[in-house]
Amino acid sequence: MNDSTQHANPEQRAVTRSRLLLVAVVLPLAVAVASALIIISWIPTLPAVIGIHWGSEGVNGFGSPWELVATVLGTVSLFSGVMAFSFADLAESGRPRPTQKALAVTALWLSVLLGVGIAGSVATQRGLSDASTAPDPLPWLLLGALLGLVAAAAAWFLLPRADRTPPSAIDVEPLEVGPSERVFWTGTVSAARGVLLLILAVFALGIGGAVAAALGGEEVLVLVLLPLFVVLALALTAVRWRVSVGQHGVNVVSVAGWPAIRIPLSEVADVRLITVNPVGDFGGWGWRWSGGRTGIILQAGPAIEVTRSNGKVLVVPVDDAETAVAVLQVARAR
Amino acid sequence: MLIRIDPTLSTPLFEQLAAGIRASVIDGRLTVGERLLPARELAGALDINVHTVLRAYQILREEGLLDMRPGRGAIVAGRIGQHAALAGAIHDLVDEAKLRNVSESALLSLIREAYK
């Protein structure tokens, strides 16, 4: 992003940024802190050990009320903290990108869901002598989800209208190619080591949680672990891709051979060089969809943007994307 | 990796292909340890014979630019540091030749002489 776009529309930019921060960080943290304080104020009236986890047979997990306080504060601050970083790169008009708006209201929704749901599950245990009789907190979670939706809807209207204009193209120096010359470009793109570690960490947590639940006597092990391994295998096939462009069109193929996206040259309606901000444009990394645009997003920066004749768009950030776009433009001009 | 080949040129296709891969290694489009496209796929994309591709890979292997491992295909070998230095020297050499109006064929024959 160059200076002229960074400094365009400073007033709109400031309004957008402050409202995004209000919706995604300030309000969620306020809800979480309020919920935590209310739970803490109830501690004298609660049993020393309260129900914190429910199964089909009622309470099956016990703990200190402080665990729930930590859950509310920890989850909300983590989510809001990540959100705060995704608002750095606004649309050129100074308005939020659609994904940024969606993420901001999701942060608010999550905080109300957890704040109301968890505080509610504690409220019904006040005055109990034995936490094993604690009532199911499902109604409170549903109420939290509903109130969260109302808050998210209100926040949606508070935020400036999302900017859906596609990113502007970067000029590409054309390749000079003789009439009988054949051109072909190929490159690979891999997930950063940090992303890979994150994927493994999430699955380690999931599998650890499932094993712990199984040891605790829940009969969910196979049901939980099997899908986890399937998803893990899928995630790992998608961490390294080969991109090839030439007379054949565009191929984006996982190095495992599957999944693969192949667009024949006859279906390529337009090809441009753009710049991608993973969180702002696609809400994160991996195989992404956002408003008719598919992204194979493993890194930020210059990207090939292919518009198909059916109007669908494929975006792939890759090193040397400029050459790839130039090659495809030559192939199309034939 | 950027490959440009022209069947109407007098230079054989495998040499054009080898030159393209060599240039991609030298300018950093291909990095050490990177695996090249399987010969059959590259042949299909460029609409040339697979043996042409294998011959180009073989030349680059003999130059020490590629490692060929059974079942793993062709991998960029870790010796490109020296080639990058050479590429710089060649650029200087060509600039110098242009400055003195020495033609490409004259420069090539000078290099050939120097090798003897």
Side-chain angles (χ1 to χ4, degrees), chain A residues 23 27 101 105 108 147-159:
Chain A
V23 167
L27 290 177
K101 215 173 147 170
V105 300
L108 183 58
L147 289 175
L149 273 181
V150 174
W156 184 270
F157 290 107
L158 174 72
L159 291 171

Side-chain angles (χ1 to χ4, degrees), chain A residues 175-188 240 242 244 246-248 320 323 327, chain B residues 1-8 13 29-30 33-38 41-42 45-48:
Chain A
L175 273 187
E176 282 175 31
V177 175
S180 54
E181 207 174 346
R182 298 172 193 171
V183 284
F184 173 77
W185 178 95
T186 183
T188 54
R240 192 167 166 82
R242 173 175 288 286
S244 317
Q247 249 82 30
H248 61 284
D320 199 23
T323 308
V327 166
Chain B
M1 172 170 94
L2 176 65
I3 304 292
R4 311 171 65 150
I5 56 166
D6 190 340
T8 62
L13 285 176
R29 285 194 167 103
L30 279 171
E34 196 168 332
R35 197 180 311 183
L36 263 65
L37 210 55
E41 272 181 55
L42 187 53
L46 288 166
D47 196 18
I48 55 178

Side-chain angles (χ1 to χ4, degrees), chain B residues 2 12 33 39 50 57 110:
Chain B
L2 176 65
V50 67
Y57 283 8
L110 281 173

Side-chain angles (χ1 to χ4, degrees), chain A residues 302-327:
Chain A
I304 312 166
E305 184 206 62
V306 179
T307 307
R308 303 171 76 137
S309 39
N310 62 9
K312 287 185 180 166
V313 178
L314 174 69
V315 178
V316 187
V318 58
D319 289 345
D320 199 23
E322 177 169 6
T323 308
V325 169
V327 166

Side-chain angles (χ1 to χ4, degrees), chain A residues 162-183:
Chain A
D163 187 334
R164 291 175 193 280
T165 49
S168 52
I170 303 165
D171 286 338
V172 174
E173 198 176 318
L175 273 187
E176 282 175 31
V177 175
S180 54
E181 207 174 346
R182 298 172 193 171
V183 284

Side-chain angles (χ1 to χ4, degrees), chain A residues 212-298:
Chain A
L215 294 177
E218 288 184 34
E219 294 156 359
V220 290
L221 190 58
V222 177
L223 283 178
V224 173
L225 280 188
L226 202 63
L228 259 178
F229 279 118
V230 171
V231 176
L232 175 62
L234 279 179
L236 289 180
T237 63
V239 296
R240 192 167 166 82
W241 298 75
R242 173 175 288 286
V243 185
S244 317
V245 304
Q247 249 82 30
H248 61 284
V250 186
N251 288 357
V252 184
V253 183
S254 157
V255 286
W258 188 90
I261 301 171
R262 293 173 211 271
I263 306 177
L265 190 60
S266 59
E267 280 183 29
V268 175
D270 192 19
V271 53
R272 307 191 308 158
L273 180 68
I274 60 169
T275 298
V276 165
N277 170 286
V279 177
D281 295 335
F282 285 92
W285 287 262
W287 193 332
R288 295 269 155 183
W289 293 269
S290 171
R293 295 163 70 82
T294 302
I296 304 294
I297 310 295
L298 299 179

